[in-house]
Amino acid sequence: MSRGSFPWGPRRSYTQSINELPKQSRYTPPAQLLEALEEINLVTRTLASIMYNCVPTSGHPGGSISSSRIVEALLYHSMDYDFTNPEAPDADIISYAAGHKALGLYAQWALRDEIMRLIHPTMLPEKENHRLRLMDLLGFRRNPTQNTPWFKKHRAKSLDGHPTPTTPFIKLATGASGVGVCSSFGLAFGAYDLYPENPPHVHVIEGEGGLTPGRVHEAMATAATAQLSNITLHIDWNQASIDSNHVCREGDQPGDYVQWDPVELARFHDFNVILVENGLSHADILAAQAYAAANRNSQPTAIVYRTVKGWKYGIEGRASHGAGHKLCSEEFYRSLHEFQECFECEIPQICKEITEDNLEEHYFDLLMQIRQRLMQHQSRLKVLGDAVAASKQRLGDRKRKLRASAPDLTCLYDGSSFKPDQPPAELVTPTGKSTTLRGSLGEVLGHLNRATRGGFVAASADLMGSTSINLAAKGFPEGFYNATANPASRMLAAGGICEDSMGAFLAAVGVDGRHIGAGSSYGAFIVALQHVALRLHCIGQQARRQQFGHPYSTYIMVSAHAGLKTGEDGPTHADPQCLQLLQENFPKGVLITLTPWDPNEIWPCVLAGLQARPAVLVPFVSRPNETIFDRKALGLPPPTEAAKGVYALRLAQRDKKPYHGTLVLQESGVINTFVAQVLPKLDEAGLNLNIYVVTSAELFALLPEDEQHAIFPEARAREAMGITGFTLATLYRWVTSTQGRNM
């Protein structure tokens, strides 16, 4: 039976093997640069071995080593950045999507700092938090409570096992299940939108194992469809993961995990693909990166490097993924021999009992050996220091400028342009009219988007109109964003039904401080599927604020079609648990949920939420139309009270007997039905009740304590019953007695 042939369909991208380029057309780096890169790579590999040993025996030496030459080529040749200013908004970015390679990242950053200390000391950043010094490696996989002598003496930074923005030049927290690729691509979108004529380039470091998660494929579809040509995905293809030495299919040999190789995967997604068959050759690596720079087109690029995990470490393949030589073993010291021979030195071995303090002293001695050897051979490293200085010059020469109509979020936070208690007249739905919570949210976001010159970027899981998030882009060009054909659009095609990738991508869009991503889907799906991405975004934002003092950058996750009235879709789509996964499950002020019931409560809730500057804002909005009640006629407070998070719909008359206690309500379906059908019967029966509404547990928690007690005294919680369209646990703060919870 003939199998036939099924060729690729049309592609906008190209493929190129470096080996197939004529020698005369290949980039030929100066011999002095190649020699210096070889030496610094030896130091990097030596540091990787030392760091793993002295933590002790913690980290990922294998991938840190196999990717080291790729990163060195970027740092000392291919990137345009300002070493003196890690916060430069127009600089190229390197993003370690493969967060487990953090050991290598820290080693590379520390060596670059050491080189600049020796070669161009006047270029060292003035702020200590803008540097990662050689001494900071004492803090690898330590937390700030570390109490060992050298850590304290040198004020070493605590360096997480996976990178976060506490490290200079790092914009994101990465390393979990493919999130880093998605968020790195979000960074690239933000950079392209701000500097469309000459966008900063985002270089993403990942391995083939990190490409296997589904969200990575979603992100690659998004990037290629949007034509984000400022992305270069550097794939460290070493075929080794934690459990396998044969991750991908190779030739006619099936892979243990997937039946594609990285070239095919990138080609399938319409990335330009450049293959470097010898990913251990600095010359070939530099040639590939130079070829990519010289052959930019409308598509993102993937450079695939064939490497060896743990090359020359003494342990290769999957055994070196998260493990290495035994503590202070003969094998560990043997891994340092090449360094000793090259730099003509003797590496001391530990000769004391291995205690935590003694091992740290040994670690310090080994770092000092590195420093001394670099000082003695600094003339050979001058070319690298000059290369870092040249990258700053190149960045200046590029003269990247914000586009004239670049987004500006200032008016959201200036305290005068927009206020929660002053909704624009056009956003107030009159009494007796009907509208949807989702539609009101879309209109509010659209109003703010126009005011901020397109600061909001919307996407959905193929539910733009269904969730009304398309209204956030009203007033901007129709259709999906495309960097080439439709760059002013504020709607992003996020790969289709792709909640997973969308959250990481849109959260990272806002890291530049000029965008806010807003992604929507059914609450039943988006809350669970984006949870890992939300955690990493929140961790990254906390680290960024701790280290550099920046306010959080907000991502809006629209939990749409939420609540009881989605029940006609059946239990597969109507999920009461989605609020419980988030409400008060993050540190104070980091994530804020919103549960308004009246469409006119959307403005005060969203404005109060945005102005609280959380890392994530989660409005829960329902699908059906709601009729606007005459709140004044019913004796109900105005919708602007919703900004407090908890407010009294009615207060009992304490001097009137009998007193019937307290009732707490949450979720739009419950409250609309209660006001329409139950409240008249309570009035008819003469029941004397306190009735409270919860519109945001987290906004309420941000109020001063005395105001919280004034609005909802603790005694109310002890006597309260509750009705919710979510889960019982979401009422536990407001209903504290066993009897109340049972009722």
Side-chain angles (χ1 to χ4, degrees):
M1 180 177 175
S2 174
R3 298 186 179 184
S5 176
F6 299 93
W8 291 102
R11 291 289 186 273
R12 295 167 291 188
S13 54
Y14 65 78
T15 58
Q16 180 63 60
S17 169
I18 289 301
N19 284 355
E20 294 172 1
L21 282 177
K23 290 290 184 182
Q24 63 270 22
S25 66
R26 291 178 60 171
Y27 169 77
T28 304
Q32 189 180 12
L33 174 62
L34 285 177
E35 291 170 4
L37 287 173
E38 286 295 327
E39 289 195 354
I40 205 64
N41 182 258
L42 172 56
V43 183
T44 300
R45 290 185 282 113
T46 302
L47 262 182
S49 184
I50 291 171
M51 290 168 68
Y52 177 84
N53 181 81
C54 294
V55 170
T57 60
S58 185
H60 295 262
S64 298
I65 290 169
S66 60
S67 63
S68 59
R69 294 176 170 232
I70 301 166
V71 177
E72 285 156 1
L74 291 171
L75 294 180
Y76 299 109
H77 179 265
S78 303
M79 287 176 59
D80 301 334
Y81 66 97
D82 183 354
F83 174 75
T84 67
N85 181 17
E87 298 291 282
D90 58 336
D92 291 347
I93 296 169
I94 186 167
S95 185
Y96 268 72
H100 64 279
K101 300 180 194 287
L103 185 157
L105 183 161
Y106 300 139
Q108 300 263 20
W109 265 228
L111 286 176
R112 179 179 55 177
D113 187 88
E114 193 69 9
I115 288 169
M116 297 306 285
R117 188 183 72 85
L118 294 171
I119 309 300
H120 291 290
T122 59
M123 289 188 67
L124 291 173
E126 293 181 8
K127 297 179 180 179
E128 191 170 290
N129 61 0
H130 281 175
R131 295 179 61 189
L132 197 155
R133 308 160 302 155
L134 191 65
M135 292 300 96
D136 289 322
L137 298 182
L138 293 168
F140 178 53
R141 292 198 165 211
R142 305 297 191 192
N143 64 51
T145 65
Q146 181 72 13
N147 200 37
T148 46
W150 296 103
F151 179 88
K152 292 191 297 183
K153 178 179 179 179
H154 292 281
R155 305 184 317 281
K157 293 181 175 68
S158 54
L159 302 175
D160 293 312
H162 291 74
T164 72
T166 56
T167 298
F169 294 99
I170 297 299
K171 309 296 183 184
L172 307 165
T174 58
S177 302
V179 168
V181 169
C182 312
S183 54
S184 299
F185 288 3
L187 281 181
F189 171 90
Y192 208 120
D193 191 51
L194 296 178
Y195 301 90
E197 297 301 317
N198 185 10
H201 218 79
V202 178
H203 296 274
V204 186
I205 309 300
E206 186 52 283
E208 80 290 330
L211 301 178
T212 60
R215 56 168 60 101
V216 171
H217 299 234
E218 297 172 7
M220 292 180 76
T222 302
T225 300
Q227 297 194 291
L228 297 176
S229 58
N230 62 329
I231 291 172
T232 300
L233 177 60
H234 299 268
I235 302 173
D236 171 22
W237 183 18
N238 54 52
Q239 278 288 55
S241 63
I242 298 175
D243 295 328
S244 171
N245 275 320
H246 205 83
V247 173
C248 303
R249 194 204 77 253
E250 191 165 4
D252 61 357
Q253 188 69 28
D256 287 344
Y257 291 166
V258 295
Q259 304 317 312
W260 44 257
D261 67 36
V263 171
E264 293 169 333
L265 176 66
R267 183 75 173 131
F268 173 77
H269 280 295
D270 207 10
F271 276 54
N272 301 317
V273 184
I274 302 171
L275 176 62
V276 182
E277 294 183 34
N278 182 4
L280 300 173
S281 163
H282 277 119
D284 286 0
I285 291 169
L286 289 165
Q289 294 177 7
Y291 185 89
N295 291 274
R296 299 266 181 249
N297 57 10
S298 62
Q299 294 306 108
T301 298
I303 306 180
V304 180
Y305 310 83
R306 283 310 314 262
T307 65
V308 177
K309 180 168 279 191
W311 181 65
K312 287 192 174 183
Y313 173 56
I315 302 174
E316 293 184 353
R318 71 183 185 90
S320 67
H321 182 92
H325 298 301
K326 293 181 180 180
L327 178 62
C328 295
S329 63
E330 181 181 341
E331 291 77 14
F332 160 63
Y333 290 110
R334 191 181 301 132
S335 72
L336 312 181
H337 283 175
E338 187 181 359
F339 176 85
Q340 294 179 102
E341 292 173 1
C342 178
F343 287 93
E344 300 174 341
C345 65
E346 187 72 30
I347 295 290
Q349 297 191 19
I350 192 167
C351 55
K352 299 179 180 178
E353 179 187 359
I354 299 179
T355 64
E356 185 177 28
D357 286 2
N358 288 344
L359 184 59
E360 187 190 50
E361 183 178 3
H362 185 49
Y363 190 2
F364 176 77
D365 290 342
L366 294 174
L367 293 178
M368 288 301 95
Q369 281 284 341
I370 298 286
R371 170 168 282 180
Q372 290 165 14
R373 301 289 82 73
L374 293 179
M375 290 174 63
Q376 291 174 3
H377 295 82
Q378 60 182 288
S379 60
R380 288 149 60 176
L381 302 175
K382 185 177 184 302
V383 64
L384 299 181
D386 290 347
V388 175
S391 71
K392 178 180 179 179
Q393 181 65 48
R394 288 196 307 271
L395 179 62
D397 291 344
R398 285 194 176 274
K399 295 182 170 57
R400 288 172 174 152
K401 293 182 180 179
L402 285 172
R403 60 181 170 92
S405 56
D408 186 352
L409 302 178
T410 305
C411 62
L412 292 180
Y413 311 119
D414 63 14
S416 59
S417 299
F418 299 114
K419 296 182 179 181
D421 61 352
Q422 295 178 13
E426 65 269 26
L427 296 179
V428 177
T429 304
T431 298
K433 299 290 184 180
S434 64
T435 189
T436 61
L437 285 171
R438 59 185 169 89
S440 294
L441 176 62
E443 294 285 3
V444 166
L445 295 181
H447 184 88
L448 298 175
N449 207 5
R450 293 184 289 277
T452 58
R453 302 194 306 219
F456 290 72
V457 180
S460 80
D462 199 31
L463 292 165
M464 281 285 192
S466 176
T467 61
S468 298
I469 197 69
N470 61 314
L471 298 176
K474 188 166 67 174
F476 297 90
E478 294 185 359
F480 292 117
Y481 172 90
N482 182 280
T484 301
N486 198 15
S489 170
R490 297 294 87 181
M491 289 198 304
L492 183 78
I497 308 171
C498 299
E499 290 94 346
D500 246 349
S501 167
M502 181 174 64
F505 188 105
L506 288 177
V509 161
V511 170
D512 57 33
R514 287 182 170 268
H515 293 95
I516 292 176
S520 70
S521 183
Y522 276 78
F525 313 142
I526 196 170
V527 171
L529 288 171
Q530 291 190 4
H531 202 85
V532 175
L534 293 192
R535 281 191 62 254
L536 263 68
H537 176 63
C538 291
I539 289 167
Q541 289 298 298
Q542 287 178 286
R544 192 164 169 262
R545 187 169 77 171
Q546 170 192 325
Q547 192 71 355
F548 302 108
H550 298 304
Y552 297 151
S553 296
T554 302
Y555 163 55
I556 301 175
M557 182 176 76
V558 180
S559 182
H561 301 344
L564 291 169
K565 293 183 180 180
T566 311
E568 77 276 12
D569 269 335
T572 60
H573 284 52
D575 180 11
Q577 294 175 300
C578 50
L579 179 63
Q580 186 177 335
L581 295 179
L582 299 177
Q583 182 180 283
E584 298 188 285
N585 279 343
F586 286 74
K588 186 176 180 179
V590 173
L591 183 145
I592 292 175
T593 61
L594 305 175
T595 54
W597 66 277
D598 179 337
N600 285 332
E601 290 184 346
I602 292 289
W603 174 270
C605 283
V606 168
L607 259 293
L610 285 172
Q611 291 175 352
R613 303 297 292 267
V616 182
L617 184 66
V618 190
F620 285 76
V621 292
S622 53
R623 178 163 56 195
N625 279 290
E626 307 292 356
T627 300
I628 304 300
F629 293 99
D630 188 338
R631 296 174 73 123
K632 189 173 183 180
L634 291 170
L636 309 182
T640 53
E641 287 293 290
K644 296 176 181 176
V646 174
Y647 68 93
L649 199 67
R650 288 274 186 89
L651 283 176
Q653 299 178 45
R654 298 292 298 191
D655 56 352
K656 179 182 175 182
K657 303 298 181 181
Y659 167 67
H660 294 106
T662 295
L663 180 64
V664 180
L665 308 173
Q666 187 172 34
E667 196 269 321
S668 63
V670 163
I671 303 171
N672 274 283
T673 301
F674 182 89
V675 172
Q677 300 179 30
V678 180
L679 194 58
K681 294 182 179 180
L682 294 182
D683 290 344
E684 187 179 318
L687 291 182
N688 188 23
L689 277 169
N690 297 302
I691 304 171
Y692 287 92
V693 166
V694 180
T695 56
S696 174
E698 294 85 5
L699 282 179
F700 183 72
L702 292 176
L703 296 175
E705 284 194 21
D706 56 349
E707 188 174 354
Q708 292 183 47
H709 295 317
I711 293 172
F712 191 79
E714 188 177 346
R716 300 280 191 271
R718 291 197 294 266
E719 67 185 21
M721 300 179 294
I723 307 175
T724 179
F726 297 109
T727 51
L728 180 62
T730 61
L731 285 182
Y732 275 2
R733 179 170 180 179
W734 327 108
V735 180
T736 58
S737 72
T738 301
Q739 183 181 12
R741 291 175 180 177
N742 288 339
M743 296 177 72

